[in-house]
Amino acid sequence: MKEYNTKQKEMLMSFLYENSHMEFTSDEILESLPSLSKSTFYRILQTLLRDGKLKCSVKDGRKCYSAVSSSCHGHLHLKCEKCNKYYHLSKEASDEIIRIIEDETGFSLEALNILATGLCKECVK
């Protein structure tokens, strides 16, 4: 079946990519995009999740969504538990952490899908 890029899909993806450092609940997305109907949103959401363009996590029992960037592979990620902001470690820092993990454990990492959580420096204050 042919996929179409509708205005609603483009609007949703544009919002998520512009805010790719954040996670949003369904309600937060719908509140931010009032012209997007609930049924259209959920239909598009399922397609984007299936196609790997969105990632889903659970915080406080609620599903949160964020865009998956093409530059988001091959490095480690940090996520602030208070403000939900994402941080991308440099490839060099990620490689060093991976080397330490492999040296300490003998474990050979094949896929890099590591997310560490904590508090960012703004939220620690």
Side-chain angles (χ1 to χ4, degrees):
M1 186 161 94
K2 183 170 170 77
E3 289 281 329
Y4 294 97
N5 257 349
T6 63
K7 286 186 181 195
Q8 292 89 352
K9 186 176 180 181
E10 288 176 12
M11 180 175 48
L12 175 59
M13 288 307 297
S14 178
F15 170 76
L16 291 170
Y17 279 120
E18 287 170 11
N19 297 286
S20 63
H21 62 286
M22 300 287 291
E23 282 186 318
F24 299 94
T25 65
S26 300
D27 290 340
E28 290 169 333
I29 294 170
L30 288 166
E31 189 175 296
S32 297
L33 302 171
S35 63
L36 186 61
S37 76
K38 202 176 230 185
S39 60
T40 300
F41 166 72
Y42 283 108
R43 182 177 41 78
I44 294 169
L45 183 71
Q46 291 309 310
T47 301
L48 295 173
L49 286 167
R50 181 197 68 214
D51 294 345
K53 294 180 180 177
L54 289 184
K55 58 186 167 192
C56 177
S57 62
V58 178
K59 181 177 181 182
D60 299 329
R62 299 182 74 196
K63 288 184 179 180
C64 295
Y65 304 94
S66 59
V68 173
S69 169
S70 60
S71 64
C72 207
H73 300 286
H75 61 268
L76 306 173
H77 301 88
L78 306 173
K79 179 186 159 217
C80 179
E81 286 294 310
K82 187 171 182 182
C83 69
N84 286 331
K85 187 172 181 179
Y86 275 93
Y87 296 85
H88 302 266
L89 263 59
S90 69
K91 173 107 172 78
E92 295 77 22
S94 296
D95 287 346
E96 180 65 13
I97 292 168
I98 291 165
R99 185 194 60 73
I100 292 168
I101 290 170
E102 291 179 344
D103 287 352
E104 290 281 324
T105 65
F107 192 88
S108 177
L109 294 171
E110 293 179 14
L112 205 53
N113 188 18
I114 299 172
L115 174 68
T117 60
L119 294 175
C120 68
K121 63 183 174 184
E122 287 82 22
C123 291
V124 168
K125 294 178 184 177

